[in-house]
Every structure is written in C-alpha cells, then in structure tokens.
C-alpha cells in the first residue's frame, strides 16, 4: 500500500474542491489578472484528473505568491524568486506529485532569473506559471524586468532606460520543452494551455499576462489579443525551434505596442525530462525516495559497509 | 631502537601527488599498529605552490598535529617556474625545502630531491650551517632520476617513501600491500622497483647516524583511516539522508563529493545546482516532500543560504546544513582553517533564530553529531547546522572500525502517516492543522507530506495560522513564535536527559584552572592540558560542541569550579567567549582568550605557552602569531 494514497486516486473531481472550504479574503485588487490564473487552474486541474491532495503548488513572493492561499492544494509559499529550486526538489523526491510552480515577473525573471534558466535547462517535469503584469505590484508599482522601455515609476522617474526581458526567447534558449503565452483576458485559452502544460512531460513555461489595474494604469494593455493558433496570419510549426524563435521575437517586439499575441510557441515532446535523463545515467532511484521512508521492507545501506576502503 | 613519535612531513608542489602519497603512507603506519593524525597545508592553486602534509604517528593516541616535526621529505615542486626578482610567490623551486626548516625539530632528518632542488640554491639558505647547529641529518638524493630510470618522473614520490622507510628501518610490507591495492600491471611493477631501489640505495650508500626510527605499536581491533568529511558523510548516510544538493566550495566539497559518489548505489539523489541559494532551497523542497535532505557550504556559500535557512525555520521544515569554515572575511584564505563563522552561523537570516548548531571536535564527534543533527531536525522540525572547519574536514585519523557498526535510523520524526492523519485535528474547511499550537508536545506539531490523504495545508514563510494561512493576528503570532522559539528549550532538556553530554572533558577534575574551547581546536587543547598536568599545573579542559541550544548548566558548572579560564579559539574577535558571556550573562572577569588566526591550527605547545604567559601575568604575548586577549577589567 502506498504511503501517498491521494496520488493517482481515480474519481470524479469537482472543481469546487480546489476552493478552500473557508475561503480567505483575497488580497488581490478588484480587476486583477491574478484571478484569471486562479480560475483557469481550478478549471484545468479536475479536467486532467488531478485531485487537490496530489498537487503541490509552490509559489514565490508578490501578489502571485498568494495563489496557493486561494487554491486548496498542498502548497508551499516560499520566498522571493526561490519557488523553482524548492519545486524541482519536491518533484525529484516524489516524482508522482503534480508540481506546479508560480511567481511573478519580478520574482521569476528578476530575482529568480538564474533558477529559471537552470530549471528550464534541466527540463524538470513541472509547470511554471509566471504572472506577467510588467510591474512590481505588491511593493507598489516599481519597474520590473518586463516593464516597457521608458516606463516611468517611483524608482525610474525619468523612464526606464532598460530594454525589457524577452521571457519566451529566454526560456527557449535555456531549454524549456513547452512554452506558451496566455492572458487572464482569454480564459478559455488559458485553461487549455494549463491543461497541456500539466500533461506535458518536461518543463512547461507559461508566460501568463495578468493585467494590473492598480499600478499599470493602462490595464487594458492585453486587449485585444490575437491567438496565434487561431489566426491565419501566423502559420508556424510549434515543434520547429527556429520558427518558434522567430514567432517569439515578433511577439516580444510588439507586446508593448498594442499587439498582443498569445498561444503555444514551442512544444518539444521528444526531449526527455530531467528525471528521465537522470535515470538514464543511473542517478535516479526506481522507487520514489519519499515512499521509501514508509516502506518497512526497505533496506538501508549503512556506512559500515563502506569502510573497507579505509582500512 | 624506536622513537616515541614520528612526525613526517612531505613537501612539494600542488599536483605532485603529495596528498595521495601521504594518505598511503599514513595508512601503512596505521596498519603497522600506530595511531596517526594527518594535517594538510596547501595553497589555493591547482598546480604548483608550496604544499605539505604532516603525518604524526605514535604508539599512543594522537589528537593533534603535534608540535613541529622530525622528518622532512622535500620532493621539489615540479611545477615551479623560474623565480623572477621580487615575484609574488618567491623561489618556489626551493620552497619544499626552505619553507619548512623553521619547524624541524633538533635531531631531525631531511631528505631532499636533488633532481628538482638545485644544490647551488641550497647553498644560499645555509642548510649546512643550520644542520650542524640543529643536529639535522641531511640526505640529498636524486629521486627524480631514480624514478625516471624505472618509470615516470611522478613516481619520485615512491622513491621518497622508499628512502623514508629505509631511514626509519620500517618494513616495506604494508607499503607494498597498499601499492598493490591501488595499482596494477606495469605501473605497479615500476613503482615496486623504485621503492626497492630507493630503499636499498640508502641502506648501501649512507651511514645512519640519526636516532629517529619508526615507533612500534599494535592495535587490538581493526582500524580505519578517515577524515572529518568522511565522518560527516557517513553520519548522514546512517541517519537516512538520501538527498543532497550543493555547489562546490572548499572545504565543504569533500562531503558533497563523498555523498554524491555513494548515493546512486543507495537509492539517493544528489544535485549540483546553480548556486547555494538553490542548493539549500532544493534540500528544503526535498525535505518538504518527504526525503531526509541536507545541503552545505563554506562561509561564502553559506551566506547565500541565509534565505532558505530562515524559510526552514518559519515553515518548520526539517533540514541539515553543514558549514565548513575557512579563513574569512569574504573569500579569505580558501584552503586555511579558522573558527570565524560562529556568530554568522548562529544568527544569520532575519528574525529570531530557531535552529540547532553543533560543532564537533573530532572525527567520532563529527559522525555522532551529524546523526544527532538529523534526529533533532526531524523530531523538532527545524534546521540543524553542523559547523566545523577546513582542519577537521581534511585531517585523517584512525578510528576503531567497530565504532561505525550501528543501525541506520531512517526515521522521519514528527511526520504522520495517513492513518494518523485521520485522527489529527482539522479545521472547518477540512484542512489539516499542521501548525497546531494547542496540543503541541515539546512545542512540536507533527506534519503531513504532500500526496498524503487528508493532510492538505499551506507551508509559508509568512506568519501563519494553524492550517498555514497567512495571518497577522497578534494572538496567533505570539502563540506560533513562542512555540517555535521554545523548541530550543525542549531540545536542551532532551539533550540533557536523553543523550550523553556532547561536551568533552579532560584533565584533572579538581583543577582550579580551566581551558575551554570548541570545535576542532579540542584535540590540541586536550594534549596541552595533558602536558600541563604532567608538568604539575592543576588544569582541566572543556571542549564544547553544543553551540545552540547552549549547554548552560554544563558550562556554568565548569566555570564555577575554576578560578580562571582561558578560551582557546581560531579567530580574532573571541566569538566563542562572546557566546559564553551572552548565554550565561557572567564570567566576564574570569575569561581570558587565546586567539590564533594566521591560517594554521593551534599546536599544543602554543596553548601550553599561552597558559604559562597568562599565569605569569606578564605583559607580553606568547608568540608572534598567537594573541592573549585579557579578561574584562584586566
């Protein structure tokens, strides 16, 4: 018998199960795009057959970090920029958990940028949702790594001299095997993309555009949007790295000029996930490590058996 | 004819195989029945630069490197460049010989490699005159030529060992056995030829006027030669640790490497990651998901771990971190020991600390306290830190093999099973009260693991309610904070009652003078106390290992029983003395400090001298590089 019976449990799952029984008052502002992520997740998870107790959501700091306060799964609300290293280790320790990491653009692309690059490089099997509103929300409106050039804020009063980061291109170059962009204003697409990301076997990065009505006054920035899969103007092969790169470039060039492209940008089903790679070189146990501690028959090697080389 | 003790120093350039040669020679001495203790001195360079390893061997217990040494094998630095006038590093060709002479005892032996150390240069350092003055016996030999004749130049190490064995009248048997274990084929054959030729040449061509011979001894039980890093890694294995994440940094890399190499065969997972923040965060994530996990670093990397460390405290996630100190601040001296990170490790990270810190003083303690660190971290759901240093990391001593014959303890401590979760408290929404403070025995509220039926909760670095919701409610804050902090009191009681003391006592119990120390300085203090007792001084010693929670009662009893005490530690600001005074709030007028921070560990004689100078109340310092810091009011 497994020590983790919630994992893989097959039953009809109601989306209400993901809403805490005693619902906390959200700290998000009215009209915040973060509600869109929450809603899309609550819809997607039951549809892919996940129940709340087999899901671990790991978040960083910022408005986005509160996601797992309002979503009733196992949750780890970590610290600014550090959701990914915590999440990927939880996945390694118990590969049967459904691990979803989430954070903001400051959290994930700024302070956590290094972890983002390396988690994508290693292609850990998890979903990473970045709430991208191009601003620091929780600290009250400072310029973020994705804020447009020239963006004025209290910390960049003359307008930002920095070119915004290109998260999709960065992710592609770092090695993510599923890359998409969606927006809170596009709920149906968001749900579908989240479902695909969860089912994808590898690092799935979703740049989730979330409007900030409080600190980005032009909160209609992501409307109208164009779905690149639906539009005849954008015909490209999502499994072709070069074509995906070109499309990303196009999006990232025009995002701040009123043209918002969303959809799947890159899908590589062939690339093995990190745990598969690790398994192939003999560095990943067959039995989930976390299970082993509950297994009465588990044999624990001891250091005494290693002493021959020291005598 | 045998001598009381041999302290053999092999010197050369980094990359010349000094380390592996000395390991083998130490093992041969151990196998011949002697107790051994090794000390490594090396520069932060890959190839070239003055490096030496000292092996102390005696027929009795050896707890430190000893004082000075009595046999020098100066191999020559094969990577040395021609020295330029006033070059930074000086004449490296000559250093294996010239740099070491100050510490060579009277009557000692010098063997140097004429093939690499130029005779003309030797004349420049007045070796002949100094040898006469100190009764040194000098044996110049072209070890390089000998090695080249039968094999390759790098085998001059073997020639050096052969010469050593001949001069000390040692049997070659153990050395041959070890060589056969380590190599085979032509290489083994060439090495054996070199070994024998060197041995015979010395016997045939030189007269032995020196008195030094290898001591003789015997062991009743089988011995193993281990470093502190081995002991910590093995303690972790036996505690059920199977997840490690790290980033390379000297001297912590040893523990990381040992576990990484063993884990694949043990069903464990090792991850080398992008930085130390990630390393500690990975260990935390693995622990949260149900593995026994550890990470570690040296001071600079540990600085980055400050964030995940605080998160472990706030989310009450068990975690073991090790910190192998080297001389700081900043990058400091990467390959030199110091005990300068104590205050940093005790208090780093924001807010009040709820962590446990152990500072083992020798190999056995390193093993025991690593196991204890895991046990406490998982029983009490907080981070345990093992603080040690470059000295303990790298020094090898022989330990009774039976010492390690223990059962593993892969217990997850205060973690519930699904059966137990059914009975546990839940709130109205159905969430598990993971941070319950009403019924917390020993201030611990048992946890669930992600994936368990009925255990849903939120772990957060924010202050939180019993189910983990972010909460700034003042009553909840006080209850949660108090519970976390008071765990340390529960642990202190637990350590006092359930475990034999982690503190080590030496010397005459009734003595009126105390020497108190912590961590790896313990061995040198123990020997110093022994010598002082032999010389008729009423001195006793205490080596403290529990840094947090502090062993208040034990240290108070010790200090109350003496008129005066000297605190011995390897740092410049008397950090441990400060801790004693902070924890106990008194004894300021009783405590003197003996401090050393030149990059080398204490030798027992320095502590003896420090004691004598302090006793005499003279207004002078014991040596140029060891400093007395007087008691408050003195």
């Amino acid at each position: 018998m497994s020590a983790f019976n919630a994992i893989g449990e097959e039953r009809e799952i109601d989306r209400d199960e993901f809403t805490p029984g005693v619902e906390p008052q959200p700290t998000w502002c009215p009209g915040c795009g973060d509600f869109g992520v929450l809603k899309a997740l609550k819809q997607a998870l039951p549809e892919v057959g996940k129940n709340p107790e087999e899901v671990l959501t790991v978040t960083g700091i910022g408005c986005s970090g509160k996601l797992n306060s309002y979503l009733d799964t196992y949750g780890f609300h970590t610290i600014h920029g550090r959701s990914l290293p915590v999440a990927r280790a939880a996945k390694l320790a118990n590969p049967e958990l459904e691990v979803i990491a989430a954070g903001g653009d400051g959290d994930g692309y700024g302070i956590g940028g290094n972890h983002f690059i390396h988690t994508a490089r290693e292609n850990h099997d998890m979903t990473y949702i970045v709430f991208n509103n191009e601003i620091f929300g929780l600290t009250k409106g400072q310029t973020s790594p994705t804020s447009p050039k020239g963006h004025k804020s209290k910390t960049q009063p003359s307008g930002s001299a920095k070119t915004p980061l290109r998260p999709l291109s960065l992710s592609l170059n770092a090695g993510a095997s599923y890359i998409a962009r969606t927006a809170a204003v596009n709920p149906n697409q968001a749900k579908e993309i989240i479902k695909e990301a969860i089912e994808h076997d590898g690092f799935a990065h979703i740049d989730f555009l979330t409007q900030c009505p409080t600190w980005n006054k032009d909160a209609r920035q992501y409307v109208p949007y164009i779905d690149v899969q639906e539009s005849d103007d954008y015909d490209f092969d999502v499994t072709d790295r070069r074509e995906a790169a070109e499309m990303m470039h196009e999006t990232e060039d025009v995002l701040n000029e009123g043209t918002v492209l969303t959809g799947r940008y890159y899908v590589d089903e062939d690339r093995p996930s990190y745990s598969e790679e690790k398994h192939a070189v003999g560095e990943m146990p067959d039995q989930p490590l976390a299970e082993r501690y509950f297994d009465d028959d588990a044999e624990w090697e001891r250091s005494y058996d290693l002493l021959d080389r020291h005598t | 004819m045998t001598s009381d003790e041999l302290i053999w120093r092999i010197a050369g350039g980094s990359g010349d195989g000094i380390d592996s040669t000395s390991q083998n020679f130490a093992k041969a001495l151990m196998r011949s029945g002697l107790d051994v203790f090794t000390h490594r001195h090396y520069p932060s360079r890959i190839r070239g630069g003055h490096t030496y390893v000292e092996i102390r061997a005696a027929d009795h217990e050896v707890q430190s490197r000893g004082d000075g040494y009595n046999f020098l094998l100066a191999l020559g630095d094969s990577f040395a460049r021609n020295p330029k006038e006033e070059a930074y590093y000086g004449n490296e060709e000559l250093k294996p010989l010239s740099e070491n002479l100050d510490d060579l005892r009277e009557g000692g032996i010098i063997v140097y490699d004429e093939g690499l150390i130029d005779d003309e240069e030797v004349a420049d350092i007045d070796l002949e005159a100094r040898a006469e003055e100190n009764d040194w016996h000098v044996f110049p030999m072209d070890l390089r030529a000998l090695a080249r004749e039968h094999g390759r130049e790098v085998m001059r190490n073997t020639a050096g060992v052969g010469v050593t064995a001949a001069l000390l009248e040692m049997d070659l048997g153990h050395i041959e056995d070890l060589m056969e274990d380590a190599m085979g084929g032509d290489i083994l054959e060439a090495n054996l030829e070199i070994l024998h030729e060197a041995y015979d040449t010395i016997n045939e061509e030189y007269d032995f006027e020196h008195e030094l011979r290898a001591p003789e001894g015997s062991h009743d039980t089988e011995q193993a030669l281990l470093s502190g890093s081995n002991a910590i890694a093995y303690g972790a294995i036996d505690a059920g640790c199977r997840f490690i994440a790290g980033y390379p940094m000297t001297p912590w890399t040893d523990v990381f490497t040992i576990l990484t190499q063993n884990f694949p065969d043990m069903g464990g997972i090792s991850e080398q990651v992008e930085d130390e923040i990630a390393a500690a965060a990975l260990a935390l994530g693995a622990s949260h998901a149900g593995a026994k996990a550890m990470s570690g670093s040296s001071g600079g990397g540990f600085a980055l771990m400050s964030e995940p460390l605080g998160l472990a405290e706030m989310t009450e996630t068990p975690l073991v971190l090790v910190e192998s100190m080297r001389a700081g601040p900043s990058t400091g001296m990467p390959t030199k020991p110091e005990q300068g990170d104590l205050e940093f490790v005790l208090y780093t990270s924001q807010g009040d600390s709820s962590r446990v810190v152990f500072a083992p003083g020798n190999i056995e303690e390193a093993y025991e306290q690593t196991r204890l660190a895991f046990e406490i971290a998982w029983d009490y759901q907080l981070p345990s830190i093992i603080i040690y240093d470059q000295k303990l990391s790298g020094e090898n001593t022989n330990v009774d093999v039976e010492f390690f014959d223990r059962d593993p303890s892969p217990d997850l401590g205060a973690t519930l099973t699904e059966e137990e979760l059914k009975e546990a408290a839940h709130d109205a929404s159905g969430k598990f009260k993971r941070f319950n403070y009403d019924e917390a025995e020993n201030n611990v509220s048992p946890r669930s693991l992600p994936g368990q039926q009925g255990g849903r909760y939120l772990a957060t670095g924010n202050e939180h309610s019993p189910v983990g919701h972010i909460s700034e409610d003042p009553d909840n804050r006080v209850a949660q904070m108090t519970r976390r902090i008071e765990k340390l009191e529960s642990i202190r009681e637990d350590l006092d009652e359930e475990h034999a003391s982690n503190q080590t006592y030496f010397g005459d119990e009734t003595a009126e003078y105390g020497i108190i120390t912590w961590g790896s300085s313990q061995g040198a203090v123990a020997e110093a106390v022994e010598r002082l007792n032999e010389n008729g001084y009423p001195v006793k010693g205490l080596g403290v290992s529990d840094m947090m929670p502090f062993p208040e009662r034990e240290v108070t009893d010790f200090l109350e029983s003496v008129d005066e005490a000297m605190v011995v530690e390897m740092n410049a600001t008397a950090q441990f003395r400060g801790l004693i005074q902070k924890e106990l709030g008194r004894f300021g007028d009783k405590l003197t400090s003996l401090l050393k921070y030149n990059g080398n560990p204490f030798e027992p004689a320095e502590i003896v001298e420090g004691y004598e100078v302090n006793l005499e109340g003279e207004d002078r310092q014991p040596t140029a590089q060891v400093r007395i810091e007087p008691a408050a009011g003195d």
Side-chain angles (χ1 to χ4, degrees):
Chain A
M1 198 185 77
S2 168
F4 299 94
N5 279 306
I7 295 174
E9 191 191 20
E10 286 189 27
R11 61 180 175 88
E12 198 67 26
I13 295 148
D14 192 308
R15 58 174 283 200
D16 286 345
E17 288 185 48
F18 289 91
T19 304
V22 179
E23 214 172 347
Q25 181 89 23
T27 54
W28 294 331
C29 305
C32 175
D34 293 4
F35 287 107
V37 188
L38 179 62
K39 190 176 164 198
L41 267 168
K42 282 183 182 178
Q43 288 177 333
L45 283 164
E47 287 187 26
V48 291
K50 299 294 174 190
N51 80 63
E53 292 185 326
E54 66 185 309
V55 178
L56 174 65
T57 44
V58 186
T59 55
I61 295 296
C63 296
S64 60
K66 306 282 179 64
L67 175 76
N68 44 16
S69 298
Y70 316 131
L71 182 75
D72 197 3
T73 62
Y74 273 99
F76 202 152
H77 177 219
T78 65
I79 36 181
H80 206 209
R82 315 299 169 209
S83 63
L84 287 176
V86 172
R88 70 199 209 213
K91 182 74 183 177
L92 287 169
N94 193 349
E96 294 177 354
L97 288 173
E98 187 58 52
V99 176
I100 298 171
D105 44 302
D107 178 269
Y109 301 148
I111 190 168
N114 195 23
H115 307 310
F116 175 52
I117 292 169
H118 289 275
T119 311
R121 169 169 84 98
E122 293 166 6
N123 197 33
H124 288 266
D125 181 17
M126 61 169 74
T127 301
Y128 183 40
I129 303 171
V130 182
F131 296 42
N132 184 1
N133 59 9
E134 304 179 333
I135 198 91
F136 278 90
L138 199 63
T139 49
K140 302 194 174 177
Q142 296 81 6
T143 307
S144 93
T146 49
S147 297
K149 195 169 182 178
H151 179 264
K152 286 189 181 177
S153 70
K154 282 182 189 163
T155 51
Q156 312 263 288
S158 314
S160 171
K162 300 177 190 189
T163 304
L165 189 101
R166 297 170 174 275
L168 303 175
S169 303
L170 177 62
S171 185
L172 183 76
N173 286 322
S177 54
Y178 181 97
I179 303 165
R181 168 175 277 164
T182 188
V185 292
N186 190 359
N188 291 333
Q189 185 203 43
K191 182 189 79 176
E192 291 306 319
I193 282 181
I194 287 176
K195 279 165 64 180
E196 278 184 16
I198 289 172
E199 288 181 329
H200 175 75
D201 187 17
F203 187 65
H205 167 218
I206 303 170
D207 187 61
F208 203 120
L209 301 173
T210 55
Q211 70 277 10
C212 178
T214 304
W215 300 110
N216 254 346
K217 290 298 180 195
D218 47 350
R220 292 185 55 74
Q221 69 214 36
Y222 304 133
V223 180
Y225 62 87
I226 296 163
D227 184 328
V228 293
Q229 263 83 38
E230 299 292 317
S231 165
D232 293 337
D233 298 340
Y234 302 95
D235 181 28
F236 72 106
D237 178 2
V238 291
T239 65
D240 185 299
R241 198 177 181 84
R242 204 173 49 83
E243 287 187 28
E246 273 172 26
M247 273 302 300
M248 287 173 183
H249 232 264
E250 195 166 329
T251 311
E252 287 166 331
D253 280 340
V254 296
L255 180 61
N256 301 307
E257 291 163 16
T259 310
V260 180
L261 306 182
T262 62
R264 292 155 207 86
Y265 281 82
Y266 184 63
V267 182
D268 181 355
E269 297 288 0
D270 297 330
R271 187 179 172 198
S273 71
Y274 182 63
S275 56
E276 286 167 347
E277 302 263 28
K278 220 169 151 63
H279 202 270
V281 296
E283 287 187 351
M284 192 71 194
D286 294 327
Q287 183 186 18
L289 186 50
E291 282 269 8
R292 203 170 156 203
Y293 292 92
F294 295 93
D295 181 352
D296 292 337
D297 298 327
E299 276 195 30
W300 292 86
E301 294 82 354
R302 52 182 195 157
S303 69
Y304 186 75
D305 302 329
L306 302 173
L307 288 181
D308 277 354
R309 66 185 83 150
H310 299 283
T311 55
Chain B
M1 181 168 61
T2 66
S3 303
D4 175 47
E5 66 175 8
L6 166 70
I7 304 183
W8 184 75
R9 186 183 282 196
I10 177 172
S14 273
D16 275 334
I18 303 292
D19 212 37
S20 53
T21 306
S22 61
Q23 276 269 349
N24 268 343
F25 191 59
K27 219 183 238 187
L29 289 164
M30 176 185 81
R31 285 185 178 182
S32 79
L34 299 170
D35 280 4
V36 295
F37 188 104
T38 72
H39 165 67
R40 265 204 302 179
H41 172 106
Y42 58 107
S44 185
R45 276 169 68 176
I46 307 301
R47 295 218 176 274
H50 174 234
T51 175
Y52 70 76
V53 177
E54 233 173 59
I55 302 169
R56 184 180 179 200
D59 64 351
H60 51 80
E61 189 186 10
V62 283
Q63 299 189 64
S64 78
R65 61 184 291 194
D67 306 307
Y69 70 105
N70 52 20
F71 191 118
L72 173 65
L73 173 60
L75 281 178
D77 180 346
S78 66
F79 301 98
R81 319 287 198 274
N82 284 333
K84 291 198 169 65
E85 195 85 24
E86 291 182 42
Y88 286 150
Y89 297 115
N91 185 347
E92 294 193 338
E93 283 182 334
L94 200 58
K95 272 187 177 177
L97 180 61
S98 63
E99 283 283 296
N100 294 296
L101 295 177
D102 287 349
D103 300 328
L104 182 61
R105 293 188 198 164
E106 224 177 83
I109 298 174
I110 299 172
V111 175
Y112 72 87
D113 186 353
E114 279 182 308
L116 279 149
I117 298 171
D118 205 326
D119 276 343
E120 282 167 31
E121 287 175 338
V122 173
D124 289 345
I125 57 168
D126 291 331
L127 182 63
E128 212 171 314
R130 292 185 67 179
E132 196 157 326
E133 192 183 328
N134 292 294
D135 187 27
W136 291 337
H137 304 270
V138 186
F139 298 88
M141 273 193 77
D142 194 343
L143 301 172
R144 182 168 69 165
L146 205 157
R148 276 181 177 165
E149 192 186 323
H150 299 275
R152 288 186 288 127
E153 180 174 328
V154 68
M155 296 176 186
R156 65 187 183 284
N157 287 325
T158 305
V161 170
V163 169
T164 301
L167 289 171
L168 296 174
E169 291 183 0
M170 285 172 69
D171 181 49
L172 287 179
H174 294 300
I175 298 166
E176 288 167 343
D177 287 349
L178 284 160
M179 280 165 56
E180 279 161 20
D181 287 349
M183 49 188 106
D186 293 347
I187 304 222
L188 173 65
E189 223 158 277
N191 271 290
L192 286 174
E193 273 176 39
I194 291 167
L195 183 75
H196 285 279
E197 170 125 9
Y199 190 87
D200 296 341
T201 307
I202 279 282
N203 273 321
E204 285 157 19
E205 294 178 14
Y206 292 83
D207 294 329
F208 291 9
E209 287 167 4
H210 58 277
E211 287 179 6
L212 184 69
R213 297 290 183 275
E216 280 172 12
S218 68
H219 292 124
D220 298 335
T221 53
E222 195 182 7
Q223 302 290 305
L225 186 68
L226 286 106
S227 70
S229 299
N230 283 128
I232 288 171
Y234 292 174
I237 286 170
D238 292 347
C241 172
R242 290 294 182 275
F243 188 100
I244 189 165
Y247 187 89
M249 183 171 182
T250 305
W252 125 270
T253 315
D254 287 351
V255 168
F256 186 32
T257 310
I258 295 164
L259 286 176
T260 301
Q261 290 178 348
N262 283 301
F263 270 179
D265 293 336
M266 299 183 163
I269 298 173
S270 169
E271 280 287 287
Q272 183 187 321
V273 295
E274 58 269 26
D275 58 36
E276 286 90 349
I277 309 177
L282 260 96
L284 189 64
S287 170
H288 179 74
K292 277 183 124 169
M294 80 186 289
S295 184
S297 193
S298 183
F302 192 81
L304 273 69
M305 295 183 170
S306 155
E307 286 184 29
L309 176 61
L311 182 62
E313 293 180 350
M314 192 48 139
T315 57
E316 303 184 59
T317 311
L319 179 67
V320 171
L321 297 175
V322 298
E323 211 263 66
S324 186
M325 295 177 282
R326 61 195 216 184
S330 193
T331 315
M333 293 197 282
T335 60
K336 300 286 181 279
E338 196 169 272
Q339 296 178 298
D341 295 348
L342 177 61
E343 291 180 336
F344 173 57
V345 163
L346 289 172
Y347 311 121
T348 186
S349 193
Q350 63 271 45
D352 295 309
S353 302
S354 49
R355 72 192 63 169
V356 172
V357 180
F358 291 121
N362 58 38
I363 309 269
E364 285 99 330
E365 289 182 8
Y367 174 85
E368 296 275 10
Q369 286 163 30
T370 301
R371 285 191 74 149
L372 189 56
F374 276 93
E375 187 183 318
I376 287 180
W378 265 260
D379 281 350
Y380 287 90
Q381 304 176 350
L382 41 64
S384 293
I385 302 168
I386 298 151
I387 182 173
Y388 58 116
D389 58 42
Q390 186 268 355
K391 168 173 142 53
L392 183 56
S393 296
E395 69 194 18
N396 282 269
T397 53
N398 58 300
V399 182
D400 195 337
V401 165
E402 277 174 20
F403 173 81
F404 295 96
D405 190 7
R406 332 264 185 109
D407 286 332
S409 51
D411 181 44
L412 287 183
T415 307
L416 299 177
T417 61
E418 291 188 337
E419 280 300 304
E420 291 164 330
L421 270 170
K422 283 182 194 158
E423 308 297 318
H426 288 70
D427 79 348
S429 70
K431 278 196 173 184
F432 166 54
K433 285 194 179 179
R434 186 258 177 275
F435 303 103
N436 206 354
Y437 46 77
D438 290 341
E439 296 160 29
E441 194 186 331
N442 278 337
N443 296 302
V444 179
S445 179
R447 62 180 190 146
S448 62
L449 299 174
Q452 281 183 319
Q453 202 82 259
R456 250 165 33 259
Y457 76 98
L458 178 68
T460 169
N462 285 59
E463 189 54 272
H464 43 265
S465 73
V467 294
H469 281 311
I470 295 170
S471 168
E472 294 183 351
D473 174 70
D475 290 339
N476 176 73
R477 161 68 177 177
V478 172
Q480 298 288 16
M481 192 68 206
T482 308
R483 187 176 58 77
R484 286 191 298 266
I485 291 302
E486 288 186 351
K487 278 185 201 175
L488 291 184
E489 288 169 28
S490 305
I491 293 169
R492 187 70 260 160
E493 284 168 23
D494 190 4
L495 287 172
D496 285 343
E497 285 164 19
E498 301 291 324
H499 297 269
S501 170
N502 286 318
Q503 282 51 254
T504 309
Y505 296 85
F506 15 81
D508 173 13
E509 221 176 286
T510 61
E512 294 138 17
Y513 192 98
I515 300 184
I516 182 165
T517 190
W518 68 283
S520 77
S521 297
Q522 183 179 299
V525 168
E527 285 198 19
V529 167
E530 204 177 296
R531 277 189 223 177
L532 286 165
N533 286 172
E534 279 165 14
N535 294 344
Y537 294 108
V539 183
K540 63 181 174 183
L542 173 65
V544 181
S545 288
D546 299 352
M547 298 289 117
M548 188 185 272
F550 196 73
E552 223 171 283
R553 184 180 49 76
E554 280 183 86
V555 179
T556 302
D557 287 352
F558 182 86
L559 290 177
E560 277 181 343
S561 73
V562 293
D563 299 334
E564 209 180 322
M566 192 164 74
V567 188
V568 176
E569 54 185 321
M570 285 190 281
N571 61 55
T573 54
Q575 295 186 23
F576 182 56
R577 179 168 89 168
L579 178 67
I580 297 172
Q581 289 179 230
K582 172 181 179 288
E583 291 288 340
L584 304 182
R586 58 198 183 109
F587 299 118
D589 55 350
K590 252 189 195 183
L591 300 173
T592 306
S593 281
L594 187 69
L595 306 170
K596 187 176 183 184
Y597 45 95
N598 70 350
N600 291 309
F602 277 105
E603 294 180 10
E606 290 170 331
I607 299 165
V608 169
E609 194 189 355
Y611 167 84
E612 286 169 350
V613 170
N614 191 44
L615 190 74
E616 289 154 13
E618 287 179 20
D619 191 18
R620 69 174 175 101
Q621 293 294 347
T623 72
Q625 293 180 343
V626 176
R627 185 159 64 81
I628 289 179
E629 191 77 13
D634 271 19

